[in-house]
Amino acid sequence: MSIADTTDATDTDTVVTARPTDAVDRRHIPAWIRFPAMVALALFLLAITKSVTDARDLTSPSIWGTVLRLTVPIMLAGLAGLWAERVGIVNIGIEGMMILGTWFGAWGAYKWGGWIGLGMAILGGVLGGLIHAVATVRFNVDHVISGVALNLLAFGGMRYLSAVTYGINRISNSPVQRSGIARFNIPFLAGGEIFGWKTPSIFGWVSDRDVAILSDMARILRGLCTGVSAATLIAFALVAVTWFVLWRTTFGLRVRSSGEAPSAAESLGVRVQPLRFAALAVSGAFAGLAGGYLSIVTTDHYQQGQTQSKGYIGLATTIFGNWRPSGVMGGAMLFGFADTLNARGKPESVPSLFILFTFIAGLLIVFNLYRRKATSAAAAAVVGGLLWLAYWRLDRLPESLTHTTPYVVTLIVLAVASQRLRPPAHAGQPYRSGEDH
């Protein structure tokens, strides 16, 4: 008997051993409605914040074009963490796999062009994923130790390969790529072209009308639809692919069962070890693609230190997103936005985030009161009050502090979200196939 015979592939997270908290509440709003509604709410809050603070950068199309480019690597790294932890392996080595992706991707783009470079980046990430799998699955090495070792190996190894391939004088960067990946505007939404015909721009028309709130929301959407790389569209499509594979296929059911109760899954015919190798290869592919995006799409060459700890932030989005693809995407957008204010040198815009988070705290107060969680509502009220006070007392943060904004946002979000998280039950725990657990 196989596990697919005992339960339907559309079951919730816990596949083999059911828990009361894992049961599906049919009264909940469907995901296909809930996610667009949350996106619309986020756009509305940003527009309101801009109106209150007059921080024009919050809705600037150019800023949001940069947000999109900085979001994709974090999102792909988050998906890498999701695939690994759903199968039961903690992947601290995402940073190292991204480094492999940046180097091999830039080398492939230098030799043959951008698309071949992305393929080479994926292969580099898969190599890192399989190294992590051999250590953790085959030899049962502690997952954190293996991941840290992989990060160190990738950093030193790519530095050595740069010296061998490009010479000692180019040890920290590579030559520029032979050809890049084209960017385009989305037709009808941002005035893109179809067979040479320039289509109207819906978001551009609305933003030019200067209607309160609505025009600001349109400016954000126009920025997200302008100068989009095909690689960006592929990355967001992979979010939907991940959801479908993990929650709507037998393979995904087996992956999730291996992260929840591997011994029970094995007793039902699931081959846990090969499955973990496969899932870590997929995890490495996502991390490698994230690195390749940095060295091919975000820039046009490899540079030492290019990942800038985005692998760790990506792992934070896995946790923040409650090990679900839509949550990973939302968290990546939040961290990408904070990173953009830092990268674009907009320290005067950072205090406006205090107002944004104050509004979010207000929503949390209402939500927790509705669910009769007085303690959580009180905590949200205290945090919201402190953020409101900080906004009115601080006109401008020192530039040295703005560089820490992405990491501070990471800590705040994880602290707030930690109360509702439920990781895969067996993630990070040692397991040997065939043993009685």
Side-chain angles (χ1 to χ4, degrees):
M1 184 193 308
S2 69
I3 194 170
D5 299 325
T6 63
T7 185
D8 186 77
T10 60
D11 286 351
T12 51
D13 290 347
T14 302
V15 178
V16 180
T17 57
R19 303 178 185 179
T21 56
D22 296 327
V24 177
D25 188 351
R26 299 298 179 185
R27 295 173 297 175
H28 285 179
I29 300 173
W32 63 272
I33 296 177
R34 184 171 64 249
F35 184 73
M38 293 184 68
V39 171
L41 177 61
L43 293 175
F44 179 76
L45 289 178
L46 283 165
I48 288 289
T49 303
K50 183 262 182 182
S51 298
V52 171
T53 63
D54 199 30
R56 298 184 180 276
D57 293 325
L58 291 182
T59 59
S60 167
S62 63
I63 287 290
W64 282 95
T66 305
V67 168
L68 189 64
R69 288 190 290 275
L70 294 182
T71 292
V72 170
I74 298 173
M75 181 180 71
L76 291 171
L79 292 176
L82 186 149
W83 272 91
E85 297 206 16
R86 278 295 178 181
V87 84
I89 306 296
V90 173
N91 192 357
I92 301 296
I94 294 175
E95 182 78 7
M97 297 173 195
M98 286 184 67
I99 293 173
L100 292 172
T102 58
W103 195 92
F104 283 104
W107 178 71
Y110 163 63
K111 290 288 188 180
W112 300 290
W115 286 110
I116 299 297
L118 283 181
M120 295 296 296
I122 292 172
L123 292 178
V126 169
L127 174 63
L130 292 177
I131 292 173
H132 191 46
V134 169
T136 57
V137 180
R138 178 66 180 85
F139 295 105
N140 219 25
V141 175
D142 181 270
H143 299 184
V144 175
I145 293 175
S146 174
V148 172
L150 179 60
N151 293 339
L152 296 174
L153 175 65
F155 178 82
M158 296 310 98
R159 184 177 175 87
Y160 171 76
L161 283 180
S162 292
V164 171
T165 305
Y166 305 121
I168 195 67
N169 293 329
R170 303 205 68 138
I171 197 170
S172 61
N173 57 71
S174 70
V176 298
Q177 59 193 7
R178 178 183 293 268
S179 60
I181 297 175
R183 303 177 187 273
F184 59 92
N185 298 342
I186 304 296
F188 296 103
L189 300 181
E193 295 185 356
I194 299 179
F195 302 113
W197 172 57
K198 183 175 176 59
T199 64
S201 173
I202 296 175
F203 294 141
W205 183 87
V206 175
S207 63
D208 290 341
R209 301 281 81 79
D210 202 22
V211 179
I213 308 299
L214 189 61
S215 292
D216 286 321
M217 296 171 67
R219 291 186 187 100
I220 295 173
L221 293 171
R222 186 176 67 177
L224 295 175
C225 295
T226 302
V228 179
S229 168
T232 300
L233 298 181
I234 292 173
F236 279 94
L238 288 174
V239 177
V241 170
T242 293
W243 171 83
F244 179 80
V245 171
L246 288 180
W247 274 271
R248 290 294 183 269
T249 67
T250 301
F251 174 76
L253 178 66
R254 291 172 176 169
V255 166
R256 290 184 290 120
S257 70
S258 299
E260 294 289 347
S263 58
E266 196 169 58
S267 70
L268 293 172
V270 176
R271 299 178 63 195
V272 172
Q273 281 198 336
L275 197 63
R276 290 187 166 186
F277 268 87
L280 280 175
V282 175
S283 175
F286 275 107
L289 181 59
Y293 190 95
L294 286 172
S295 60
I296 297 171
V297 180
T298 304
T299 61
D300 60 359
H301 65 286
Y302 162 79
Q303 187 172 356
Q304 186 174 291
Q306 200 164 29
T307 56
Q308 296 181 325
S309 300
K310 287 182 171 59
Y312 299 110
I313 297 178
L315 191 59
T317 67
T318 303
I319 301 171
F320 165 74
N322 206 13
W323 293 268
R324 290 184 175 274
S326 58
V328 168
M329 181 169 64
M333 289 292 290
L334 175 62
F335 299 136
F337 178 59
D339 202 12
T340 298
L341 296 181
N342 175 29
R344 292 289 295 266
K346 300 291 184 181
E348 67 276 5
S349 300
V350 175
S352 61
L353 295 179
F354 295 151
I355 290 294
L356 176 61
F357 285 123
T358 300
F359 290 149
I360 295 174
L363 292 176
L364 289 175
I365 293 171
V366 175
F367 178 73
N368 285 309
L369 288 176
Y370 172 75
R371 300 188 66 181
R372 299 180 181 178
K373 294 184 176 181
T375 303
S376 298
V382 171
V383 172
L386 291 174
L387 290 171
W388 182 269
L389 180 63
Y391 173 74
W392 288 108
R393 294 298 299 270
L394 296 173
D395 295 329
R396 180 187 178 100
L397 288 179
E399 188 172 351
S400 58
L401 291 180
T402 63
H403 295 313
T404 66
T405 300
Y407 310 105
V408 172
V409 169
T410 302
L411 293 174
I412 293 174
V413 168
L414 289 179
V416 172
S418 62
Q419 302 302 315
R420 64 176 182 84
L421 302 179
R422 196 199 73 80
H426 211 272
Q429 299 181 26
Y431 176 76
R432 288 190 182 276
S433 180
E435 289 186 356
D436 186 18
H437 295 272

